[in-house]
């Protein structure tokens, strides 16, 4: 595998940046690794375990290098899916294999539903789709409260509530918004509002991602193979439970991956997973 080479792709409303790690004479499909709001850097450790095939990573619309030119405030999974469709076209049209994490997994499901011919296998790891949960009303209300907190108080207070929701075990309580929350400073987060409201998670993707309703009929009919993954350490949490629910709607069972929601991460971002063993499981799934 060569060192990553950065390319740009001009899209309606955005200039997309993506990185290609060539693998020489490999005849395996391109492996596209996607997240949201995670950018390309989050997949550096995992990409290093797939030196025998070409790996592509990217910064989603409005995140890091992929600057928006349309002035829009939010990005929907369908919009991200259209960006991915155009990116795959630029890479030769596919079909590609896709490893998709978190919000990227939601976008990957939208991609397969809209452009199934471009994907051979999608591994959707812990898609946080609150719509599919049995406690969807409470979960969606908790998300709405996080967004209101961000709009009113800024990043730190919103992130404290976000951490509480994503780490909560079991169904989200109906009184989530009324529960006391710790000071953001206790988590090393800013307690003061800096006045900005352009955060990639809270402003652009949180609501549209969690409120997305997958087209399960299209996904079941697609020629692409869709595998849902969950982390062994995140059992009971919202994204894990959503992953299980998505798999059930697809008529399958989720594959359990090592570690947590970010199990493919090394210690670069202070949230280390188990990228070595995560890559072993991913390779087995893609070969299946």
């Amino acid at each position: 595998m060569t060192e990553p080479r950065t390319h740009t792709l001009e899209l309606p409303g955005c200039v997309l940046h993506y990185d290609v790690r060539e693998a020489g004479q490999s005849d395996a499909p391109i492996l596209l690794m996607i997240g949201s709001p995670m950018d390309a850097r989050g997949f550096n450790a995992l990409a290093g375990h797939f030196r025998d095939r070409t790996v592509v990573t990217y910064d989603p619309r409005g995140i890091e290098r992929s600057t928006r030119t349309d002035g829009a405030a939010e990005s929907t999974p369908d919009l991200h899916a259209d960006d991915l469709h155009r990116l795959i076209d630029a890479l030769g049209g596919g079909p590609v294999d896709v490893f998709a994490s978190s919000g990227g997994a939601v976008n990957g499901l939208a991609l397969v539903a809209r452009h199934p011919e471009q994907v051979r296998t999608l591994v959707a790891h812990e898609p946080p789709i609150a719509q599919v949960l049995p406690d969807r009303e409470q979960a969606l209300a908790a998300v709405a409260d996080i967004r209101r907190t961000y709009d009113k108080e800024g990043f730190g207070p919103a992130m404290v509530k976000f951490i509480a929701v994503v780490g909560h075990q079991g169904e989200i309580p109906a009184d989530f918004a009324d529960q006391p929350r710790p000071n953001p400073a206790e988590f090393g987060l800013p307690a003061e509002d800096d006045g900005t409201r352009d955060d990639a998670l809270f402003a652009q993707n949180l609501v549209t991602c969690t409120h997305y309703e997958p087209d399960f009929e299209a996904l079941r009919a697609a020629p692409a193979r869709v595998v849902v993954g969950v982390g062994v350490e995140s059992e009971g949490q919202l994204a894990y439970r959503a992953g299980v629910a998505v798999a059930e709607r697809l008529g399958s069972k989720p594959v359990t991956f090592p570690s947590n929601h970010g199990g493919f991460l090394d210690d670069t971002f202070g949230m280390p997973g188990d990228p070595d063993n995560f890559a072993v499981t991913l390779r087995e799934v893609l070969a299946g």
Side-chain angles (χ1 to χ4, degrees), residues 111-272:
L111 171 67
V112 171
R114 295 165 69 89
H115 304 283
E117 74 287 349
Q118 289 191 310
V119 178
R120 186 183 74 159
T121 299
L122 166 66
V123 181
H125 186 255
E126 297 204 351
I129 304 175
Q131 287 282 9
V132 300
L133 296 174
D135 52 320
R136 61 181 298 276
E137 296 299 332
Q138 302 100 286
L140 293 174
V143 169
D145 178 65
I146 294 170
R147 178 56 192 266
R148 284 194 301 270
T149 301
Y150 177 69
D151 290 340
K152 182 179 179 180
E153 302 178 47
F155 178 83
M159 181 55 76
V160 167
K161 288 191 173 184
F162 178 80
I163 293 170
V165 169
V166 299
H168 182 80
Q169 291 286 327
E171 295 192 355
I172 304 298
D175 64 344
F176 167 80
D178 300 322
Q179 294 184 359
R181 66 174 188 263
N183 189 305
E186 296 177 24
F187 291 82
L189 296 167
E192 298 298 323
D193 184 0
D194 65 3
T196 62
R197 294 295 185 270
D198 58 357
D199 183 73
L201 170 61
F202 295 124
Q204 294 187 49
N205 293 289
L206 176 67
V207 173
T208 57
C209 173
T210 54
H211 286 57
Y212 178 70
E213 296 190 45
D215 186 342
F216 287 107
E217 183 176 351
L219 290 169
R220 289 190 293 265
R225 174 172 166 252
V226 178
V227 179
V228 179
V230 292
V232 66
E233 295 176 11
S234 49
E235 183 174 359
Q237 296 175 359
L238 186 150
Y240 180 105
R241 295 191 299 117
V244 171
V246 169
E248 289 177 351
R249 295 284 295 275
L250 293 174
S252 63
K253 293 184 178 180
V255 173
T256 300
F257 280 74
S259 194
N260 50 42
H261 186 65
F264 52 91
L265 294 169
D266 60 13
D267 59 1
T268 302
F269 302 96
M271 303 177 294

Side-chain angles (χ1 to χ4, degrees), residues 6-19 32-41 56-75 79-80 83-84 87 198-200 204-205:
T6 299
H7 304 262
T8 59
L9 181 63
E10 291 194 17
L11 304 176
C14 176
V15 179
L16 208 67
H17 286 244
Y18 64 98
D19 304 311
L32 177 59
M33 298 181 176
I34 63 175
S36 180
M38 179 175 286
D39 60 75
R41 296 170 300 173
V56 175
T57 56
Y58 90 125
D59 293 350
R61 171 182 295 255
I63 296 172
E64 289 298 325
R65 300 168 297 173
S66 294
T67 54
R68 302 191 73 141
T69 59
D70 59 2
E74 289 188 321
S75 299
L79 181 57
H80 285 302
D83 290 347
L84 290 165
L87 172 58
D198 58 357
D199 183 73
Q204 294 187 49
N205 293 289

